[in-house]
Amino acid sequence: MRALLIRDLRLAMRAGGGFGLALSFFLLVAVLVPLGVGPEARVLALIAPGILWIGALLACLLSLDRIFALDFEDGSLDLLVTAPMPLEGVVSIKALAHWLVTGLPLTLLAPVLGVLLHLPGPGYGWLVVSLLVGTPALSVIGTFGAALTVGLRRGGLLMSLLVLPLYVPTLIFGAEVVKRGALGFDTTTPLLLLAGITLGAAALLPFASAAAVRINLR
Amino acid sequence: MSIWEYANPVKFMRLSGALLPWVAIPAAAALAVGLVWGFFLTPDDFRQGSTVKIIFVHVPAALMAVNAWFMMLVTSLIWLIRRHHVSALAARAAAPVGAVMTLIALITGAVWGQPMWGTWWAWDPRLTSFLILFLFYLGYIALWEAVPDPETAADLTSVLCLVGSVFAVLSRYAVNFWNQGLHQGASLSVAPGERMDMTYKLPLYLCMVGFALLFVALVLLRTRTEIRARRIKALLARERMA
């Protein structure tokens, strides 16, 4: 399992385009929004939590098709399916690798972009915490979407249509944590619900993803 | 004799063919009577005026929008567990009907909301969750269309339906939480049922029955179409082989 994780990480780092691309996209969203909305600090501060979460979510979405596509093309996915390791484990590791190369850097970059968007002071801690807790769910759910569309030509657009509605609860609770944190309210409830979604998705969705991969490789 | 016998397409075709007029005609009758009764023979509401009458389309459509997804969930489970093709095709047949029901509920809601709330759209929990449900329908239909192999498509959409159901329910309650967290007290939800007078309730029930029968009739019809399409494809394939 560790070998697979290291292999995936190495591929993501060296193949280019995957690792930096999501981060650049996140940065671009944070730059484009003030250009579209106007530079007024009060307005930006109001929408900053939502924009940062949506940016993270879209950046995550952008790199999802790489989770299985390369392995599917060169046939190593077939080997992984027939390997002695349970496919559920393989899928979880792939989600973890995806999170390590997108979710985690996004989390670390987010406070910087928060400055750009005039996020109110107390919001920064909650932004990092909520992304840290919530982005794993994005990776796990996204892996499921990637597994559904793995064999398809031009599956990318379809995958967005499948995955984005599944992101709704994560987005709502994640943005709510930051919003409440920025205003100085209690964030326990949305944070716990967000953690619940992440843990539930991480525990159950790999089974669905593995089933989808098996169906697609039949 | 068990219900699983109708998993056999031939038997299903025979039964559904016989059943179809017995569902379609009562559906048309219930809808005709219910809608005419509701639209023309009920008094205007003392506060909402005649706009209240859109309830006779709005509520039944919303009811069937949710139940269509539930039916897809059940048929998907039957397909995954017992692998009856008719079941998978019924799920496929129900999806566009459910999507249209969702759309009807949304549009009639907007038409109703405009004079009553002064806006076509509000980010009310119910409205939002219906919009999300519509997106789920779109994704489900798109996946059916995108996968060329019918068996793979049936499997994948069934898995999506199961996962989607969980997330649809999650979204429903997340949206509740989201709105209450933002606009406290600004409740825009319509409160049907309990407070309604019998003069409205009876035609509403009739319309609900009509919509339910209409849904069953449409799903039967579309499932029959799907089965026939599958047969044609098999015949063409056989012809090419020969």
Side-chain angles (χ1 to χ4, degrees), chain A residues 141 144 148 152 158 161-162 165-166 168-169 172-173 176 179-180 189-190 193 205 208 212 215-216 218, chain B residues 132 135-136 138-139 142-143 146-148 151-152 155-156 159-160 163 167 170-171 174-175 177-178 181:
Chain A
I141 297 169
F144 172 63
L148 279 181
L152 296 177
L158 175 67
L161 186 61
L162 297 181
L166 299 179
V168 167
I172 288 177
F173 291 126
E176 193 69 29
K179 222 173 284 168
R180 291 192 181 186
T189 315
L193 287 167
L205 265 182
I215 292 164
N216 264 323
R218 201 164 42 199
Chain B
I132 294 169
L135 293 178
F136 273 108
L138 285 189
L143 190 60
V147 183
E151 198 150 327
T152 310
D155 277 335
L156 289 178
V159 173
L160 177 67
V163 174
F167 276 87
L170 266 181
S171 307
V175 160
F177 175 86
W178 160 76

Side-chain angles (χ1 to χ4, degrees), chain B residues 157-182:
Chain B
T157 49
S158 297
V159 173
L160 177 67
C161 185
L162 299 193
V163 174
S165 305
V166 175
F167 276 87
V169 172
L170 266 181
S171 307
R172 176 73 183 90
Y173 290 100
V175 160
N176 252 342
F177 175 86
W178 160 76
N179 199 2
Q180 280 169 1
L182 271 182

Side-chain angles (χ1 to χ4, degrees), chain A residues 116-176:
Chain A
L116 288 180
L117 292 172
H118 298 286
L119 187 70
Y124 288 93
W126 292 115
L127 178 65
V128 173
V129 169
S130 74
L131 283 173
L132 205 59
V133 173
T135 43
L138 298 184
S139 288
V140 174
I141 297 169
T143 308
F144 172 63
L148 279 181
T149 54
V150 66
L152 296 177
R153 302 249 162 276
R154 296 183 291 122
L157 206 58
L158 175 67
M159 194 180 57
S160 325
L161 186 61
L162 297 181
V163 166
L164 283 178
L166 299 179
Y167 277 173
V168 167
T170 318
L171 172 68
I172 288 177
F173 291 126
E176 193 69 29

Side-chain angles (χ1 to χ4, degrees), chain A residues 74-129:
Chain A
D74 66 8
S76 37
L77 196 57
D78 295 284
L79 291 180
L80 287 174
V81 171
T82 50
M85 188 175 17
L87 189 57
E88 286 78 6
V90 173
V91 169
S92 308
I93 289 296
K94 292 221 162 253
L96 178 64
H98 177 261
W99 181 71
L100 284 175
V101 296
T102 49
L104 193 59
L106 286 176
T107 308
L108 299 177
L109 183 66
V112 183
L113 301 185
V115 176
L116 288 180
L117 292 172
H118 298 286
L119 187 70
Y124 288 93
W126 292 115
L127 178 65
V128 173
V129 169

Side-chain angles (χ1 to χ4, degrees), chain B residues 57-124:
Chain B
V57 180
H58 182 73
V59 170
L63 181 78
M64 290 327 292
V66 176
N67 280 315
W69 186 275
F70 187 67
M71 181 226 137
M72 279 157 57
L73 174 64
V74 173
T75 45
S76 296
L77 270 176
I78 293 175
W79 160 250
L80 283 179
I81 295 167
R82 304 197 57 142
R83 308 205 71 78
H84 296 315
H85 278 272
V86 173
S87 182
L89 289 178
R92 177 178 193 172
V97 184
V100 170
M101 291 288 180
T102 315
L103 207 56
I104 292 176
L106 281 172
I107 291 173
T108 53
V111 171
W112 194 2
Q114 214 288 325
M116 283 305 107
W117 305 341
T119 173
W120 296 98
W121 181 259
W123 289 99
D124 172 87

